[in-house]
Amino acid sequence: MRRKLAAGNWKMNGLSSSLTEIEALVKAHPDPDIDILICPPATLLSAAVVTAADHTLAIGGQDCHAHEDGAHTGDISAPMLKDAGASYVIVGHSERRTDHGETDDDVRGKARAAMAAGLTAVICIGETLEEREAANTLEIIAGQLAGSLPDIVTAVNMVIAYEPVWAIGTGKVPTLEQIGEVHDFIRTKLVARYGDGVGNSTRILYGGSVKPGNAAEIFAVSNVDGALVGGASLKAADFSPIIAALEAS
Ligand code: PGA
């Protein structure tokens, strides 16, 4: 059985006043039977860890450098995230791939660094609209999986997030059939590469315009083990019903 994961990615949003949203989440879900993760901006990471202390809500980073330390102004390493109390880090989000030119190779290096530091890497993949319209989705996904995932992983230190680029922040969501097709494909690839144990135990999240209104139907799709949520994770009032829908699924 894969433990479900509701992950919130705050992106470049959130000031100290936003910590009340984390307080509200831990109050609303004191004893969840799923994993809950919030990835706030780096400026709030330590404070978020303190706010969530003694609760089961995990805190994660949104990116990490592939090296442990060194002359990389503005970057944050995986050991630094770990030291600040994070347990997860998102790597290879499409906004990083687009805004910062990150390649599959870069993402694999970051994922390796995250795992070496004892973090769980949430590795993001997904096709653009052009790629989907050209019927290349599965080929793109296969390429990103082959290039972005490290060879040596465990069932707990890697999570895959399938996020169609055209669904992120747009309110557009693939059909349930389209989501199912890609998630089943990812599962098959994971089993082929890592074997039954790790392949079947690795969680696969869907991300892209998940809202309280569409969460339950998405969570009913096969091989959807949770969600990576952007906009709707910023407010506890929006994220909480998504968490509840995942718990009920
Ligand atoms: P969205 O973002 O939920 O705002 O579409 C998802 C993501 O980018 O992880």
Side-chain angles (χ1 to χ4, degrees):
M1 267 302 280
R2 296 181 293 271
R3 192 167 162 89
K4 292 167 184 169
L5 171 61
N9 171 13
W10 282 10
K11 309 190 180 184
M12 198 173 73
N13 298 290
L15 302 173
S16 0
S17 55
S18 316
L19 294 169
T20 55
E21 302 300 332
I22 294 177
E23 270 166 29
L25 284 176
V26 296
K27 219 172 264 168
H29 306 276
D31 189 20
D33 58 12
I34 62 167
D35 290 338
I36 306 173
L37 165 68
I38 292 289
C39 299
T43 47
L44 291 183
L45 203 97
S46 297
V49 167
V50 172
T51 305
D54 305 326
H55 294 276
T56 48
L57 189 146
I59 300 297
Q62 298 179 7
D63 176 49
C64 68
H65 198 278
H67 293 162
E68 275 182 32
D69 51 32
H72 303 288
T73 302
D75 282 317
I76 299 176
S77 73
M80 290 171 179
L81 293 173
K82 179 76 178 173
D83 181 57
S87 42
Y88 289 77
V89 61
I90 299 168
V91 295
H93 190 281
S94 73
E95 286 150 17
R96 301 283 319 172
R97 291 177 186 260
T98 305
D99 298 354
H100 300 271
E102 291 184 8
T103 64
D104 287 338
D105 262 3
D106 295 330
V107 175
R108 192 173 68 247
K110 288 170 184 238
R112 272 206 210 107
M115 293 167 185
L119 299 170
T120 294
V122 180
I123 305 176
C124 302
I125 56 172
E127 82 286 1
T128 63
L129 189 57
E130 297 70 41
E131 289 161 348
R132 170 146 304 264
E133 284 173 346
N136 283 339
T137 298
L138 296 184
E139 199 182 308
I140 294 295
I141 295 299
Q144 290 176 334
L145 286 172
S148 304
L149 276 46
D151 286 330
I152 298 167
V153 302
T154 71
V156 291
N157 71 9
M158 179 174 75
V159 172
I160 308 297
Y162 167 56
E163 301 203 297
V165 177
W166 50 277
I168 294 175
T170 58
K172 289 185 197 146
V173 182
T175 65
L176 300 178
E177 290 70 27
Q178 287 172 327
I179 294 174
E181 181 190 31
V182 177
H183 279 244
D184 289 350
F185 181 76
I186 294 170
R187 176 72 58 214
T188 304
K189 289 287 181 191
L190 291 176
V191 169
R193 180 157 169 194
Y194 300 109
D196 278 345
V198 171
N200 281 316
S201 309
T202 300
R203 294 173 292 180
I204 307 173
L205 310 183
Y206 168 77
S209 296
V210 175
K211 308 281 177 222
N214 62 15
E217 60 182 24
I218 293 171
F219 295 149
V221 175
S222 82
N223 282 312
V224 173
D225 303 310
L228 180 55
V229 183
S233 71
L234 295 174
K235 295 278 170 221
D238 294 325
F239 198 39
S240 190
I242 295 173
I243 292 168
L246 188 57
E247 277 190 296
S249 70

